Amino acid sequence: MRITRALKDIKEMYKTNNLNFCAISEHAKSLLSLYRQVAWSIDNRANFMVEESQVEYGMDSESAYLYLSTFAPDKLKEDFETRVANLLESKLMIRIIFEACERLREYPEYGEYYYQIIYHYYLSKTKISDQICMSKVCLERTAYYQRKKEAVALMGVIIWGYSLPGIISELEKGQSIDKVIPAQ
């Protein structure tokens, strides 16, 4: 198996950041594979919560939350807060992936290819095959699979080696999520 210079550089990044290449690559692949379902779920849950607040309380979500936090029984308030917390956690995951993709795009040499592969194969609204993705990014089979492997590996480095440690550090300092990762 031929290892490209880019893949060697990526493995060196893993080593430098004390990350396990195979484990982080698999985690990145799993996280990217979940993206579509999470994005769809967030959209549906958010829409449902807005509709629910209008039906139940005849008002917008902020007014409903104010009502729930002031007058609602504890169990109802807890359920609502749990749903909002789950929604925010999912939104944070989406924002981390988005931020990692933007960093990936700036990577020297193949950054734009990496970004396009990740976007088309994992993040676009409609799931596509490798064959279709190859044609969209204009790469031949061998180059495509090599760039895809490198892109997933780099996403792992960016997310677990740079993004998450920085986010965790800022959150531990008391920063709000919106300040740590601004909305797109």
Side-chain angles (χ1 to χ4, degrees):
M1 177 180 201
R2 191 173 143 252
I3 298 179
T4 65
R5 190 180 94 225
L7 198 53
K8 285 180 185 176
D9 292 343
I10 294 166
K11 286 186 176 186
E12 187 58 37
M13 280 187 212
Y14 275 89
K15 191 186 259 184
T16 301
N17 290 290
N18 296 319
L19 300 171
N20 178 304
F21 177 81
C22 293
I24 297 297
S25 290
E26 283 303 312
H27 291 317
K29 191 174 184 179
S30 296
L31 183 64
L32 289 168
S33 295
L34 291 171
Y35 182 87
R36 261 187 217 90
Q37 293 89 351
V38 171
W40 177 82
S41 176
I42 286 174
D43 190 41
N44 284 338
R45 282 188 286 163
N47 289 338
F48 177 76
M49 289 177 75
V50 168
E51 289 174 18
E52 181 184 46
S53 70
Q54 290 171 343
V55 169
E56 292 288 324
Y57 310 106
M59 54 189 97
D60 63 29
S61 296
E62 287 180 35
S63 300
Y65 180 70
L66 181 61
Y67 167 78
L68 287 168
S69 63
T70 308
F71 303 111
D74 288 339
K75 179 66 177 151
L76 187 60
K77 188 178 356 179
E78 284 176 30
D79 289 347
F80 183 77
E81 287 173 350
T82 299
R83 289 172 42 209
V84 169
N86 289 337
L87 192 63
L88 290 175
E89 288 170 2
S90 298
K91 185 178 177 188
L92 177 62
M93 183 184 114
I94 297 285
R95 287 166 60 180
I96 289 169
I97 291 173
F98 177 81
E99 191 253 358
C101 283
E102 290 303 311
R103 283 188 179 190
L104 181 68
R105 186 178 229 164
E106 296 169 6
Y107 190 78
E109 204 169 334
Y110 298 117
E112 187 61 33
Y113 280 119
Y114 295 152
Y115 172 82
Q116 292 297 324
I117 290 168
I118 294 295
Y119 174 78
H120 289 298
Y121 191 79
Y122 292 104
L123 308 181
S124 64
K125 188 174 182 177
T126 306
K127 185 171 174 56
I128 62 171
S129 67
D130 280 311
Q131 193 67 34
I132 293 171
C133 191
M134 269 182 249
S135 68
K136 284 185 179 276
V137 297
C138 301
L139 287 173
E140 292 183 17
R141 185 177 178 84
T142 303
Y144 168 77
Y145 283 109
Q146 190 61 46
R147 297 297 91 79
K148 183 178 173 188
K149 183 177 181 177
E150 294 165 359
V152 170
L154 272 171
M155 284 295 287
V157 170
I158 293 167
I159 292 170
W160 281 277
Y162 298 103
S163 297
L164 284 178
I167 289 167
I168 291 167
S169 173
E170 291 299 312
L171 291 174
E172 286 175 344
K173 291 178 187 174
Q175 289 287 335
S176 73
I177 288 174
D178 290 331
K179 289 190 178 176
V180 173
I181 302 178
Q184 302 117 348

